Amino acid sequence: MPGSNDLSFSSAPFLHVPLLDRLAPVRAAGFAAIAISPFDVWALEDTGMPAQEIAARITDAGLAIAELDCIACWMDHPHAVADDDLSRALLNLTPQRVIETAARIGARSVAVIDLSPAPAPIDIAAQAFARLCDMAAQHGLHAHIEFIPVGGIRSLGDAWAIVSEAGRTNGGITLDAWHFHRSGSTRDLLATIPGAHIHAVQLCDALPVALPDMWAELMTHRLLPGEGAIDLAGLIRTLDAIGCTAPIGVEVFNIRQNDQTLAETARDWATATRAVLATARTIP
């Protein structure tokens, strides 16, 4: 399984590219793993391709499956009754369905998000996360909360409070650099969290001045690692110091990538991230 010296490609900005078409350019760029969506698996299964063959195609391409991204419908969601594409998609991303898919495909873990407009009480969220972790544990899977400043779990502190109260050894956190930065989370807090509970890392960078619409910035104006205002070298050093062994994921949503091929974008992601890692891990 890839570790903290390996790169993992987040498929989220490229779900419009069929999964099997992503594999060769991602591997050619130097990535060792790929995070995929349940919808990637379901689309191929709908064509008659069994999960075992999908997994074999990924392995044959030289990639491991880092995580299945994501479970979204695991607490009450006030927006889930809305008649829009996002809400309908979230209703399909239930713990049982996503976890069973992750087990079929041979994923290492499942990501967990909450896009509720208002935070749930910590104790309620912790109970729901504990149930989810128990379900994942039956299949040997980790589960990790990705806090999002425009969602229901908005900061590292919120996510860690839920994970801590849930008290499950397979429960942890996705550390996304943009979410970390824009939520006002701190490396001092990160330094107190055991690295074994940071199950996934996603690097990108942020504009020096936030856009008025945070959701728009999140989805269209993230920068390549090293291009923006986040102290990524410091973040990597902190992750290394607490013993985080998760592969270094890269996830950049930026509209300028619309004019690039996937191969070009994957190379840009890998080159930028390798430079950041080299800076972070160079001893003065």
Side-chain angles (χ1 to χ4, degrees):
M1 182 58 63
S4 59
N5 291 317
D6 297 305
L7 299 186
S8 175
F9 184 92
S10 172
S11 290
F14 291 96
L15 297 184
H16 59 284
V17 178
L19 172 60
L20 299 182
D21 292 342
R22 288 177 225 148
L23 304 181
V26 165
R27 182 59 186 147
F31 288 87
I34 186 169
I36 64 175
S37 164
F39 294 108
D40 289 327
V41 180
W42 298 335
L44 288 170
E45 288 180 326
D46 286 344
T47 70
M49 182 179 290
Q52 294 89 340
E53 183 177 345
I54 302 169
R57 295 283 290 272
I58 295 171
T59 300
D60 290 346
L63 295 166
I65 303 171
E67 67 253 6
L68 205 61
D69 186 7
C70 61
I71 294 170
C73 190
W74 56 289
M75 291 192 293
D76 291 333
H77 289 266
H79 68 275
V81 296
D83 187 21
D84 59 73
D85 290 343
L86 175 60
S87 295
R88 286 190 292 271
L90 294 178
L91 289 173
N92 286 305
L93 298 172
T94 61
Q96 181 172 349
R97 192 175 185 201
V98 175
I99 287 169
E100 289 177 351
T101 303
R104 286 199 304 276
I105 201 70
R108 164 182 166 272
S109 63
V110 291
V112 181
I113 66 169
D114 178 25
L115 292 181
S116 302
I122 295 296
D123 59 337
I124 299 300
Q127 291 170 15
F129 187 61
R131 290 193 298 270
L132 187 159
C133 287
D134 290 344
M135 191 181 303
Q138 294 175 12
H139 300 278
L141 295 166
H142 288 77
H144 36 97
I145 293 173
E146 181 173 354
F147 59 93
I148 303 173
V150 293
I153 302 172
R154 299 179 177 175
S155 69
L156 177 62
D158 294 340
W160 180 233
I162 293 167
V163 171
S164 297
E165 185 160 334
R168 298 302 192 264
T169 57
N170 67 325
I173 293 170
T174 299
L175 199 291
D176 178 291
W178 191 92
H179 300 326
F180 180 87
H181 182 70
R182 286 288 182 244
S183 66
S185 300
T186 67
R187 295 209 318 270
D188 285 345
L189 174 59
L190 178 60
T192 69
I193 297 174
H197 284 288
I198 306 297
H199 292 163
V201 175
Q202 295 174 346
L203 295 189
C204 62
D205 220 322
L207 297 166
V209 178
L211 297 182
D213 185 336
M214 188 176 289
W215 182 261
E217 182 183 339
L218 184 161
M219 296 302 296
T220 64
H221 281 79
R222 298 199 222 181
L223 304 177
L224 291 174
E227 283 189 331
I230 304 177
D231 180 9
L232 293 177
L235 188 62
I236 292 297
R237 290 187 186 111
T238 303
L239 288 168
D240 287 347
I242 63 176
C244 174
T245 60
I248 301 298
V250 192
E251 181 181 84
V252 182
F253 287 90
N254 194 300
I255 54 175
R256 73 187 184 196
Q257 295 168 168
N258 295 347
D259 297 325
Q260 293 183 305
T261 65
L262 174 58
E264 291 169 335
T265 298
R267 286 196 299 269
D268 287 349
W269 287 16
T271 299
T273 304
R274 291 289 187 201
V276 167
L277 293 176
T279 299
R281 291 169 172 167
T282 298
I283 300 174

